[in-house]
Structures are given as C-alpha cells and as structure tokens.
Amino acid sequence: MKPFVLILALAVLPALPVFAAPAPELAQVQQRVARPALLRADFVQEKQVAGFRNPLRSQGQFVLAQERGVIWRTLKPFPSDVVLTRDRILSRQADGSVQVEVDGRQQPAMRAINAMMFALMSGDVQAMSASFEVRAELLPDNGWRLHLTPRSPMLAKAFASLQLEGDKYVRKVEIEEANHDRTRLTFDNFRLAPPLDADEEHSLD
C-alpha cells in the first residue's frame, strides 16, 4: 500500500497550482500551527477500499525537515521508505532497492508537489489554499479543523475532499477519494529530536 504522500503527489503532478493568499479567517489557524525546523512523529494509516469490509492498515514514523524534505518510513506490515525532496520522490524497499517515482529534473511540477506535501504535513494554510478551497473551524484548546475541496478538475478526479485536524501539529488527516475510497492518517508522539542521522542526511541529499 503506497503511503499518502506518494498517492497525493502522483495525483497532482500534472496540475501546477496558482498560489493565493488564505482568507483572513484562516489566519488564526496559521498562528496556532508550529513549524519547527525538524519534526518527528509516529503515524497510523488506514485505507478503507470500497467493497472491502476491513481497512488496510499500516504504521510507521516520519521525519519532516523543513528545508530538506520528508522521510515517510513504513514499519508494518511491510517495511519501506518514501523520500520526498525538492528534486524527487523515491521509494526504498526493505531489500535496499530504490525506485525513483518522480524526478523533479524532468518534471517542473515537482516544486508544486513539494509545497503541497509540506503544507499538508505542517498545516501551512497559505500553501494549501493554492490548490484547495479551505474552510476553517476553530476548536477548544487551540484546536482547529480544515475542510479542503479541490480547486482544479485534475485534483477533483482524484479527491472529493480532505479534512485536517490538529492543534500545534497536524494530528489527523482524512481523505475521501473520488472513487469513494477513504484514507485516515493519525499522528502522535511528536518530537523535535534527535537531529537527522547520517542515513537520513544521505536520503535527503
């Protein structure tokens, strides 16, 4: 099962967004979200496929380095890594084999994908507003919820809607695909350390 970041990146690749400032009412959400230079967390991804009773479930960890990229490391049920940088998206299997999924040197839209991935992982309202109509709800205890509807027909072919919920960090993402499949991601155990190790540095080069 491909992780969320790769599914979304491949879906939006042909469509370059036109960036726009967020609506004034979203400013409070933007202020509530922290954007540290490095963030680690655990994730659980559940994908409910139409026609199947039980969701497909995976879990693992991710590290988000704001100026470098994202490493999305699935631990269960099958170990694999997806690495997103400014220039590429690649996947690495447990046997060490590497496959370049998207090469930014050949696809100028890569930078737009990068911006969207970082926006969704870090709650960057302004960047999300470039590709989605965004409606905000303010929740108690500095919480918030964002409802996203695709702006472009290309995105609408892949997604009906997305919903993000969090406080200082994005804690939940729910995705309804155009084919009625649903994906839910939950994030916890947020931490700002340790710094990137040698393997992570190499992956993000």
Side-chain angles (χ1 to χ4, degrees), residues 87-124:
D87 294 324
R88 70 189 188 281
I89 298 174
L90 61 83
S91 58
R92 182 170 60 186
Q93 305 306 310
D95 62 5
S97 62
V98 175
Q99 177 181 353
V100 177
E101 305 283 357
V102 180
D103 190 332
R105 292 166 294 186
Q106 300 174 7
Q107 293 283 358
M110 187 66 223
R111 291 191 181 276
I113 293 170
N114 178 278
M116 187 178 296
M117 295 302 101
F118 277 77
L120 290 169
M121 299 293 282
S122 62
D124 187 337

Side-chain angles (χ1 to χ4, degrees), residues 185-198:
L185 292 111
T186 54
F187 305 108
D188 62 10
N189 192 23
F190 292 92
R191 49 208 184 272
L192 306 181
L196 296 174
D197 61 28

Side-chain angles (χ1 to χ4, degrees), residues 134-203:
V134 183
R135 180 170 58 86
E137 292 182 60
L138 298 178
L139 305 177
D141 300 320
N142 285 319
W144 50 266
R145 184 180 296 121
L146 297 177
H147 303 269
L148 280 62
T149 305
R151 289 183 182 274
S152 73
M154 181 62 68
L155 271 176
K157 289 181 180 179
F159 303 105
S161 65
L162 292 87
Q163 181 173 286
L164 286 77
E165 188 171 323
D167 40 46
K168 186 176 180 180
Y169 304 119
V170 178
R171 296 188 179 273
K172 183 188 301 182
V173 178
E174 296 189 4
I175 307 155
E176 181 180 357
E177 299 178 32
N179 63 2
H180 303 299
D181 290 351
R182 292 178 177 270
T183 298
R184 172 180 291 184
L185 292 111
T186 54
F187 305 108
D188 62 10
N189 192 23
F190 292 92
R191 49 208 184 272
L192 306 181
L196 296 174
D197 61 28
D199 181 61
E200 291 168 337
E201 290 276 4
H202 178 71
S203 295

Side-chain angles (χ1 to χ4, degrees), residues 16-33:
L16 275 169
V18 177
F19 283 84
E25 61 267 25
L26 301 179
Q28 291 187 59
V29 174
Q30 186 75 32
Q31 292 172 2
R32 292 182 179 188
V33 178

